[in-house]
Structure formats: C-alpha cells, structure tokens
Amino acid sequence: MTDTSDQPIAAASGTFDIGGELTVHRLGFGAMRLTGPGIWGEPDDPDECRRVLRRAVELGVNFIDTANSYGPEVSERLIAEALHPYPDDLVIATKAGLERPGPGQWVPNGDPEYLKSECEGSLRRLRLDCIPLFQLHRIDRNVPLEEQIGALIELRDEGKIRFIGLSEVSVSQLDEVRGLTPVATVQNRYNLVDRSAEPVVAACQRDGMGFIPWFPLKTGALADPGGPLATVAERHGATPAQLALAWLLHRSPVMLPIPGTSKVDHVEGNMQAAAIELSDEEVAALGDV
C-alpha cells in the first residue's frame, strides 16, 4: 500500500465517466453519516463533518453522494456550507423518493410532484443550478413507473438535473426504466458479504453504467482474526475495511464505492484503499469466500 506525492490519494482508484461525460475518481464519499442517530437531525459535531468534507476533497474525492432524506436536508446543507463554491471537477449526486416520518424511518413516495419539489429543495440547499446526478431513491410500487421516471425526464429536459440514476432495483426494473430513458448509475447494497446485487453489477458492467455500492464496508466474520479478509489485509499492511474497499475497486471497472464517515481520521484511512494493489488471485479468493 503506497501513497504518491504528485497526486491526491483518491486518484489512485482510477476514473469512471458517469453518463459517459462526468469523469470522477472511482473512490468517492457517501454523506449519509453526516447526520444524527437514525440518519435524523443534526450531527453531534457539525464542524467535524464540514472538516471531513473538505478533507475528502483534499484527498482527491470528486464524487460525493447524498440525499435530501439524510437528516432530512442536513447532509445536503452541510455539503454546501463546507465546499461551495465547488471545485470545477466535483460531481454531487443526490436522491429523492423517500419521506422521513422519524429517525430510522423511510417511506417511498414516487408522486411526480413530490419528486419535482424535492429536486427544487436539493437545488437550493446544494446551491446548484443543475444537479449532476439525480437518483430515484426507491421505486414506489403505488405509483406507475412511467410517472415517476417521467418526472425525472422532465427535470432533465428543464436543465435542473443532468443524469438519471436508480437505487435498489433489480435487473428487470433497470431494463424497464431503460426502456423509458438512459440510466447513468445504479446504487444497490453490495459488499464482500452481501452479493445479492451481483446480476445488477453484471448488467452495469456490460452496458457501461456506474454501480454505486452502498454499505461497502460490511465485512462480517471475514474480518475476524485469522479470517480470509484479515489475512490478506495483514499481508498488505492494511485494515480489513481498507481491503473491503480495495476488493470493490478491483471487482469491476464500473464500481464506484462511497464509504461514509463523520470523522476526519476515518476518511483518511478509507482513502488509503485506493492505493492497494490486489493480485487477480487475491481478488478471486476474496470473491469466492
């Protein structure tokens, strides 16, 4: 595991072109944890959260993922407070489609007018004229899919969003949406111990869509002393969490991990994963466990 002096560490993760146009370093930052318990309310230390965001950018992160439901509204506001005016190469992705009745509670709402109003709120909080990547947080089974996606298409046609992304979808749902409009990214839960989204990863890789794995640091018993992840991590002088991120980066060229944290030392540690070089044998061995 090596750092370089001539470029930020996140650059070692390589690049991906979201929508074929927005070039980002593949190791990004997820801003969900910049909130209170239950992803609700203000964080315990807002100043530290703003320092985390600034430090992530210093380390080369130019892809930040958030959502209006984080807080709600808290994460987006902190991003703008910490980073606006934004670097020219910074790509901010946000999401809409969930209501928050209380801590830890998430209720899908795909009503077109709701999605449009949430986009307007995100534009204000993020201080953007156009959101680079706007993702449907969940497909609402109580609203016709054509109406939900139609709202996003309208927002794109109005210049309020640039690219459309999806979250927590199956391959069949992805194909259905792609029959209506191009999809730039998919964000599903995926990590070393949860591969349920494997078919979606394959579809994204086949067709050049970005795949954003949420909960990327889950390692389970693989990280126990003597376990396969801990053993490979020790070989590389890294932590199991860093190895979990490195494995994701090696898993597919369309993979865009977004580890999140509210602590500066954690974001610094996470970014070190970008420089870990795994052999094909190590990638395969970890993928097989």
Side-chain angles (χ1 to χ4, degrees):
M1 182 172 62
T2 58
D3 199 344
T4 57
S5 59
D6 60 341
Q7 63 179 356
I9 187 64
S13 65
T15 61
F16 179 80
D17 296 339
I18 294 175
E21 298 179 19
L22 301 176
T23 302
V24 297
H25 296 143
R26 291 176 54 218
L27 188 54
F29 179 79
M32 184 175 72
R33 295 295 173 186
L34 305 181
T35 61
I39 320 302
W40 185 265
E42 298 292 331
D44 291 338
D45 190 343
D47 288 338
E48 176 74 354
C49 290
R50 284 184 280 266
R51 286 191 289 268
V52 165
L53 288 160
R54 288 190 284 265
R55 183 60 177 147
V57 170
E58 290 172 354
L59 293 169
V61 169
N62 59 3
F63 177 55
I64 295 177
D65 177 83
T66 185
N68 67 65
S69 58
Y70 298 163
E73 304 183 2
V74 173
S75 176
E76 290 182 331
R77 175 174 50 78
L78 287 172
I79 289 170
E81 290 174 356
L83 300 176
H84 192 273
Y86 301 117
D88 292 340
D89 65 342
L90 182 63
V91 174
I92 297 176
T94 193
K95 296 180 283 293
L98 289 177
E99 293 182 344
R100 300 297 312 282
Q105 300 178 50
W106 312 79
V107 179
N109 185 346
D111 178 81
E113 293 308 313
Y114 177 75
L115 296 176
K116 292 177 185 178
S117 68
E118 290 302 286
C119 178
E120 296 289 352
S122 292
L123 285 167
R124 289 193 302 272
R125 286 185 293 274
L126 290 167
R127 307 179 200 173
L128 289 170
D129 296 321
C130 175
I131 295 168
L133 176 63
F134 195 65
Q135 304 159 94
L136 182 61
H137 214 151
R138 293 292 187 276
I139 291 177
D140 185 350
R141 299 182 184 277
N142 297 316
V143 178
L145 181 65
E146 294 81 0
E147 295 183 13
Q148 299 174 65
I149 302 304
L152 304 188
I153 294 172
E154 287 183 31
L155 290 168
R156 185 188 60 205
D157 292 346
E158 293 169 359
K160 295 177 180 178
I161 67 175
R162 186 164 177 182
F163 291 110
I164 292 171
L166 301 174
S167 180
E168 282 305 302
V169 294
S170 65
V171 172
S172 62
Q173 289 172 321
L174 173 59
D175 290 342
E176 190 174 0
V177 173
R178 294 181 73 199
L180 303 172
T181 185
V183 174
T185 60
V186 176
Q187 183 169 164
N188 279 21
R189 177 167 169 156
Y190 185 82
N191 49 56
L192 266 171
V193 296
D194 184 350
R195 317 281 182 78
S196 58
E198 201 73 62
V200 181
V201 175
C204 288
Q205 182 167 327
R206 181 192 66 219
D207 295 335
M209 293 174 285
F211 183 86
I212 306 169
W214 64 270
F215 212 172
L217 293 176
K218 186 175 182 181
T219 57
L222 299 181
D224 291 347
L229 187 60
T231 300
V232 178
E234 184 176 357
R235 187 184 309 150
H236 285 269
T239 67
Q242 289 168 341
L243 252 292
L245 291 173
W247 180 82
L248 286 169
L249 290 169
H250 285 75
R251 166 65 184 80
S252 170
V254 305
M255 195 74 69
L256 306 173
I258 49 166
T261 179
S262 60
K263 303 296 181 184
V264 169
D265 59 341
H266 289 169
V267 76
E268 292 174 341
N270 289 340
M271 289 303 115
Q272 291 296 320
I276 298 175
E277 296 184 5
L278 299 177
S279 68
D280 292 342
E281 292 76 12
E282 288 173 326
V283 175
L286 289 173
D288 288 342
V289 294

